[in-house]
Amino acid sequence: MELRQLTYFVAVCEELSFSRAAARCYISQSAISHQIARLERDLGVTLFERSTRAVVPTDATMRLLPLAKQMLSLESAIRATVRTSGHRIRLAANMSFATRSLSAIAGARAAHSDAEIEFVIKPFRQRITAVADGDCDLALIRGSVDEPGLAVEMLWIEDLVIATSAAHPLAPRDQVTLADLSPYPLLLPPEQEQVLLHNVIRAAFADLAAGPTFGPPIPPDHTATMELINRPDAWTVLYADSPTEGLVVLHLAEHRLRIPVSAVLRSDARRSPILTTLLAGLHRR
């Protein structure tokens, strides 16, 4: 039994989907299925009843889940306990924050020659847990969280962009309105994976007579670019730093879709000079 298998096991339990768990853990669906099968062989039990429609936990799964979470929490606590204090910072984020994070890390290292700063890729919920457990010093998220022991510091406001394929009927237009977009299918990841993005869209359309026309969710293993090419009548919303090669970016005439980006830190943590410099670099536009 390996800790990574327990990580994948917990992800499948929480997502009730191998594909969503794989996307959350940044591995392929076949890889996570293989690791869960190895865990089942090691334990001599069946953990999930699989069908084409559903993933159903077994009784053994429900007994193992709290222990698996406890093991992963202990791993984070061990890492936090033995870490070198003061000169080492761990920043948890996802790849969409890479450019800005690496620029801020370079600035912090230039200002503090003894700084050791790690950029750790983690899904949203694992970022929050890593900060709460002391495994990471801060996490970058879109939106906010309200949890005991954590402090949230807004860093910047991120613009969202509208994208279509070049074949979309509105693609030749210099500007569009949300009312123009309303009749066309909007493609987004499933709401359970992008709650904040769905909420921003609904709020933007709240004062209009017609809301957005939601198309089928973008599967975790698909890209927005390919979905729009396959559905030339559709549109999507992307974060400003997302790649748009092969797409047309439309400008909204009367509305700006915006979303806050925040740093999550432990509320009782002492901010070292390195962490202060890193946060200042993330604030800078």
Side-chain angles (χ1 to χ4, degrees):
M1 185 192 309
E2 300 175 6
L3 285 172
R4 63 171 176 163
Q5 292 172 338
L6 295 181
T7 299
Y8 302 154
F9 165 74
V10 170
V12 176
C13 286
E14 293 179 347
E15 300 292 342
L16 293 180
S17 163
F18 279 83
S19 61
R20 291 196 298 269
R24 167 173 154 177
C25 296
Y26 294 91
I27 63 172
S28 68
Q29 184 173 338
S30 60
I32 202 167
S33 297
H34 174 70
Q35 291 299 328
I36 293 297
R38 280 189 56 195
L39 181 60
E40 288 177 321
R41 287 196 301 272
D42 289 346
L43 296 176
V45 297
T46 297
L47 296 172
F48 300 100
E49 299 291 349
R50 303 156 174 86
S51 73
T52 56
R53 291 191 172 187
V55 174
V56 180
T58 65
D59 289 342
T61 295
M62 304 316 295
R63 294 194 298 272
L64 175 60
L65 182 58
L67 295 174
K69 288 183 175 181
Q70 185 178 2
M71 286 290 292
L72 295 174
S73 179
L74 285 172
E75 180 200 16
S76 294
I78 289 169
R79 291 182 182 277
T81 300
V82 301
R83 279 178 51 204
T84 303
S85 61
H87 302 310
R88 188 177 180 191
I89 300 293
R90 281 168 60 87
L91 165 61
N94 62 23
M95 283 305 298
S96 67
F97 293 124
T99 300
R100 186 147 185 167
S101 296
L102 295 178
S103 176
I105 288 171
R109 283 177 171 160
H112 304 276
S113 59
D114 57 348
E116 296 180 39
I117 305 175
E118 295 182 60
F119 181 68
V120 184
I121 302 297
K122 290 181 179 291
F124 179 88
R125 179 46 52 186
Q126 289 186 26
R127 276 175 259 164
I128 305 304
T129 301
V131 173
D133 290 346
D135 184 39
C136 290
D137 298 279
L138 74 156
L140 297 184
I141 63 168
R142 292 180 174 91
S144 186
V145 293
D146 183 11
E147 294 191 11
L150 296 180
V152 177
E153 181 175 324
M154 196 181 79
L155 297 174
W156 72 87
I157 300 292
E158 185 170 20
D159 289 315
L160 303 175
V161 299
I162 306 297
T164 69
S165 77
H168 193 282
L170 297 178
R173 302 261 295 266
D174 290 334
Q175 289 186 330
V176 296
T177 65
L178 292 176
D180 294 330
L181 291 165
S182 179
Y184 298 99
L186 169 59
L187 306 183
L188 292 175
E191 184 165 4
Q192 66 266 26
E193 296 179 13
Q194 290 283 356
V195 174
L196 184 60
L197 192 57
H198 281 258
N199 287 343
V200 168
I201 293 296
R202 288 198 180 93
F205 277 88
D207 296 330
L208 301 182
T213 302
F214 287 100
I218 299 175
D221 55 348
H222 289 208
T223 66
T225 301
M226 282 306 302
E227 293 299 296
L228 292 176
I229 290 173
N230 291 329
R231 291 287 305 271
D233 63 329
W235 61 286
T236 194
V237 178
L238 301 175
Y239 297 119
D241 291 337
S242 301
T244 57
E245 185 176 354
L247 302 178
V248 173
V249 174
L250 302 180
H251 299 283
L252 283 174
E254 86 295 46
H255 218 292
R256 294 186 73 182
L257 299 177
R258 313 192 82 190
I259 200 166
V261 176
S262 304
V264 179
L265 307 97
R266 292 186 304 284
S267 54
D268 61 350
R270 182 181 65 86
R271 298 196 182 186
S272 68
I274 297 172
L275 181 56
T276 300
T277 303
L278 180 60
L279 283 168
L282 290 167
H283 270 290
R284 193 174 298 119
R285 295 213 46 107

